[in-house]
Amino acid sequence: MYIHIGNNCIINDKEIVAVFDIDNSSISVKTRNFLNLAEKEKKIINISSDIPRSFIVCNKENKNYVYLSQLSSSTLQKRIERMKKEEFLI
């Protein structure tokens, strides 16, 4: 199934490794280092038309990348849960 993560961007839910709230998780030095490294390696895809509120870590074909989204992590989590529920019912 696919999930809309903002700004007309849709990704396969099987590629999602984790969804994080930027404000809460960027307090950690490890998270900041992870995001800095991803930026240096050009693995960040900014789809946010506004200040990003969450980031989604994805893995496709053993390559990691990070989407920055203006949607909150709770909104994304609800969408993922709804998609999983619909997939289960099919």
Side-chain angles (χ1 to χ4, degrees):
M1 300 294 258
Y2 291 88
I3 181 167
H4 178 259
I5 60 170
N7 249 10
N8 296 322
C9 184
I10 299 172
I11 59 173
N12 190 327
D13 67 337
K14 290 176 178 57
E15 297 173 6
I16 298 173
V17 175
V19 178
F20 295 94
D21 178 83
I22 282 187
D23 290 335
N24 291 329
S25 60
S26 61
I27 294 170
S28 166
V29 173
K30 289 182 181 184
T31 304
R32 286 195 311 264
N33 289 342
F34 170 78
L35 291 172
N36 287 333
L37 181 62
E39 186 175 22
K40 287 178 186 175
E41 293 178 350
K42 301 196 184 309
K43 292 183 178 180
I44 290 192
I45 304 164
N46 188 354
I47 60 161
S48 180
S49 59
D50 201 358
I51 296 171
R53 296 178 65 197
S54 64
F55 65 96
I56 304 107
V57 179
C58 296
N59 184 289
K60 183 177 182 178
E61 299 171 2
N62 293 323
K63 295 180 182 176
N64 293 322
Y65 50 98
V66 179
Y67 285 96
L68 299 179
S69 174
Q70 76 273 11
L71 299 178
S72 71
S73 58
S74 61
T75 297
L76 292 169
Q77 184 63 35
K78 288 175 189 173
R79 289 181 182 188
I80 292 168
E81 289 171 1
R82 187 175 62 235
M83 296 295 282
K84 294 289 183 185
K85 189 182 285 187
E86 290 174 8
E87 184 177 23
F88 179 74
L89 294 175
I90 292 177

